[in-house]
Amino acid sequence: MPSKVDMDKIVSLCKRRGFVFPSSEIYGGLASCWDYGPVGVELKRNVKEAWWKAVVHERDDVVGLDTSIMMHPGVWAASGHIDNFTDPLVECKSCHLRWRADAIEGKKCPKCGGELTEPRMFNLMFKTSMGPVEEEANTIYLRPETAQGIFVNFENVVTTSRKKLPLGIAQIGKSFRNEITPGNFIFRTREFEHMEVEYFVRPGTDEKWLDYWVKERFDWYVKLGIKKENLRLRRHGKDELAHYARDCYDIEYLFPMGWSELEGIANRGDFDLTQHAKCSGKELSYHDAEAGEKYVPYVIEPSAGVDRSVLAFLVDAYDEEEVEKEKRTVLHLHPSLAPIKVAVLPLSRNEKLTPLAKEVFKQLCPSFVTDYDDSQSIGRRYRRQDEIGTPFCVTIDFESLEDKQVTIRDRDSLAQIRVPVEGLEKVIAAKLKGEAFDASTLWSTREK
Ligand code: GAP
């Protein structure tokens, strides 16, 4: 079942308004690589900040980490990525294009009809070499997940944070996968950002903690405005579990191409710490003073994609409605995710309005990401702010010069209230936190 939103509309809005551009566009682009524009980068930062706040700052059992993308190649041998992080591929004997074996029906090349080879395993890690000499001995990999940087620092973090188990270590950072079939805009790309927690627990409590994190992560999306009916949980069958996983749930979202994975929450057991202990020769167990035991912790891993979350938030917020016989495209983004919180819009470029408008901008911009726009008609400027999801527009008109009041327009209800310039920052802050928009003072004569 596809969602009600067309992916082409999302891609077009993203390009038109500066959320996402094709990478290296002036050179014709690079397949499935994307750049985040001025409002896209704000949205992405807000998604990461909301995640970090929820999983690190608002908890006392999770700490953060930022590890390097390039790691000792032994890490990937130990983690199983060199042997197991593979997709079966077939190659066309005529045009030499490669296809994922499980995505091909029949025995002919979908492009030219040529004969296909038997499936061969293809590793998804990007290889590069470190140092000035390109030799096999210098081969390193770009990390395909941030998780391994956490596992190899387990001992460092436990010792320095002086925290007890259960303990989570969170990381946000770039990952790279040479995906065979990238696509669907920013849904599956070869370079993307991960938001991962490795939550270390006492063996035997792992199932309880898996359930806990599945609920916690599901609720996070709902709290940030994703409609519940567009989310669902799917437990992995035994035959589809990753090589490290004992159990796994996907949070799926109804993307324009249908239900697809948004985030995975896996029970990795003691696979990674045991492997790293074996391959590095360092002991990676935990001394549980309370239980009087020493054990290798089990790990629950909520693993989300920043880019995929951005796409889900955009799709879910997208709406087209008719206002005064005109089509309005609007992003009903949660205020904490909206790239711009408030736009300051003088009614026109008339020089009499500019000083007060600038004064309002100065008052607001230290507290909120604020846009100042005095070009084009007020109607067109409202449309632009609606399309990038700005919760509030503040309009300065000629009456404002007399009564030192401005109009605040609410993106979702289109209601307008008139408030004094003095103290405006406090009013906007309260509205962004969800205070009701009292439209009893609605100025019905204002253009919506
Ligand atoms: N450490 C476990 C892990 O990486 P995964 O299911 O392969 O698990 C977790 O990835 C999440 O990362 C996915 O649910 C998705 O949101 C994101 N992700 C994975 N591959 C991606 C890709 N090629 N492009 C964009 N996001 C991706």
Side-chain angles (χ1 to χ4, degrees):
M1 178 181 51
S3 87
K4 288 181 212 128
V5 182
D6 192 337
M7 186 74 96
D8 290 344
K9 287 191 174 171
I10 299 291
V11 177
S12 148
L13 172 74
C14 283
K15 175 86 203 310
R16 189 168 73 245
R17 293 302 188 191
F19 280 97
V20 181
F21 308 126
S23 164
S24 332
E25 195 180 8
I26 59 169
Y27 286 95
L30 179 66
S32 68
C33 292
W34 302 93
D35 297 340
Y36 286 81
V39 288
V41 71
E42 298 291 342
L43 173 59
K44 202 179 182 202
R45 282 168 59 111
N46 293 341
V47 169
K48 289 190 276 186
E49 255 168 51
W51 184 87
W52 194 264
K53 189 164 176 273
V55 307
V56 183
H57 288 167
E58 288 179 353
R59 309 180 60 102
D60 64 358
D61 57 349
V62 180
V63 293
L65 192 68
D66 185 9
T67 69
S68 68
I69 287 171
M70 297 181 287
M71 300 177 73
H72 190 290
V75 168
W76 307 112
S79 68
H81 282 84
I82 289 181
D83 289 337
N84 299 310
F85 198 54
T86 50
D87 268 348
L89 285 195
V90 290
E91 187 172 323
C92 171
K93 290 181 182 170
S94 309
C95 70
H96 298 288
L97 272 181
R98 288 174 174 181
W99 305 91
R100 264 176 72 147
D102 56 1
I104 295 277
E105 278 176 29
K107 292 206 174 299
K108 298 283 177 218
C109 170
K111 174 129 189 278
C112 72
E115 200 188 331
L116 298 171
T117 62
E118 285 302 308
R120 262 176 290 177
M121 296 314 266
F122 175 80
N123 197 290
L124 299 186
M125 282 195 294
F126 279 99
K127 265 188 200 171
T128 185
S129 48
M130 187 171 239
V133 189
E134 213 177 296
E135 280 175 9
E136 199 48 35
N138 299 333
T139 298
I140 58 159
Y141 300 90
L142 300 187
R143 68 179 177 202
E145 60 173 14
T146 62
Q148 297 305 324
I150 297 177
F151 293 126
V152 300
N153 275 291
F154 172 68
E155 194 69 27
N156 285 335
V157 175
V158 169
T159 314
T160 56
S161 68
R162 306 181 68 230
K163 296 244 180 212
K164 295 196 178 78
L165 258 56
L167 170 65
I169 305 178
Q171 170 155 231
I172 299 179
K174 289 262 184 179
S175 291
F176 302 83
R177 296 180 183 182
N178 201 358
E179 300 278 4
I180 314 307
T181 45
N184 285 317
F185 194 32
I186 51 173
F187 177 82
R188 180 171 287 114
T189 50
R190 295 192 171 108
E191 172 184 341
F192 61 97
E193 264 183 292
H194 253 137
M195 306 186 280
E196 302 196 293
V197 184
E198 306 305 320
Y199 195 74
F200 299 87
V201 304
R202 188 175 173 201
T205 63
D206 46 310
E207 285 175 21
K208 177 186 87 183
W209 283 113
L210 178 65
D211 291 348
Y212 167 87
W213 276 105
V214 168
K215 181 172 182 322
E216 195 71 10
R217 295 301 307 140
F218 192 99
D219 291 349
W220 182 78
Y221 292 103
V222 176
K223 218 168 116 187
L224 286 173
I226 298 234
K227 294 170 207 81
K228 238 183 183 164
E229 63 268 27
N230 291 338
L231 288 169
R232 70 179 188 192
L233 281 180
R234 191 180 70 79
R235 192 177 190 175
H236 281 209
K238 289 266 174 274
D239 54 337
E240 58 172 326
L241 286 174
H243 64 274
Y244 51 73
R246 301 166 69 92
D247 199 355
C248 186
Y249 287 85
D250 282 348
I251 297 175
E252 294 189 333
Y253 178 72
L254 186 55
F255 285 100
M257 65 283 186
W259 287 101
S260 310
E261 177 187 342
L262 174 58
E263 167 165 353
I265 300 115
N267 180 349
R268 292 180 82 126
D270 60 3
F271 177 86
D272 302 271
L273 289 182
T274 303
Q275 279 297 107
H276 287 306
K278 201 161 85 189
C279 299
S280 68
K282 299 273 185 301
E283 200 190 330
L284 295 175
S285 53
Y286 174 75
H287 178 70
D288 189 332
E290 266 164 41
E293 281 179 69
K294 202 170 168 186
Y295 51 79
V296 178
Y298 273 26
V299 175
I300 306 304
E301 178 195 60
S303 174
V306 178
D307 313 77
R308 209 172 275 188
S309 302
V310 165
L311 181 60
F313 285 121
L314 282 170
V315 170
D316 221 76
Y318 186 92
D319 201 9
E320 285 175 8
E321 40 184 64
E322 207 181 281
V323 177
E324 290 169 358
K325 297 207 177 100
E326 266 190 48
K327 191 184 97 177
R328 171 173 100 122
T329 300
V330 56
L331 288 183
H332 296 288
L333 286 169
H334 189 280
S336 65
L337 297 183
I340 289 166
K341 310 300 180 200
V342 54
V344 175
L345 313 175
L347 197 60
S348 74
R349 254 195 192 152
N350 187 298
E351 60 186 24
K352 288 200 181 115
L353 295 177
T354 310
L356 183 61
K358 291 275 181 196
E359 185 191 315
V360 168
F361 177 76
K362 263 194 160 168
Q363 184 192 146
L364 299 181
C365 71
S367 307
F368 321 108
V369 180
T370 309
D371 193 17
Y372 183 93
D373 187 2
D374 62 1
S375 61
Q376 300 183 314
S377 74
I378 189 75
R380 288 180 86 143
R381 282 180 277 156
Y382 281 154
R383 297 288 170 270
R384 174 172 176 269
Q385 297 299 336
D386 287 344
E387 288 201 4
I388 61 175
T390 305
F392 301 111
C393 290
V394 171
T395 312
I396 294 93
D397 54 29
F398 289 99
E399 258 183 84
S400 306
L401 302 177
E402 307 295 321
D403 63 6
K404 294 282 183 285
Q405 294 204 1
V406 290
T407 305
I408 309 178
R409 169 190 181 268
D410 175 41
R411 173 197 70 197
D412 295 338
S413 65
L414 293 175
Q416 302 190 8
I417 53 172
R418 193 86 179 150
V419 299
V421 171
E422 202 185 319
L424 179 63
E425 187 264 346
K426 280 203 178 69
V427 176
I428 300 279
K431 302 281 174 234
L432 285 169
K433 281 201 176 130
E435 186 187 88
F437 210 86
D438 178 10
S440 55
T441 49
L442 175 72
W443 261 29
S444 54
T445 51
R446 290 268 168 261
E447 187 180 357
K448 280 185 176 172

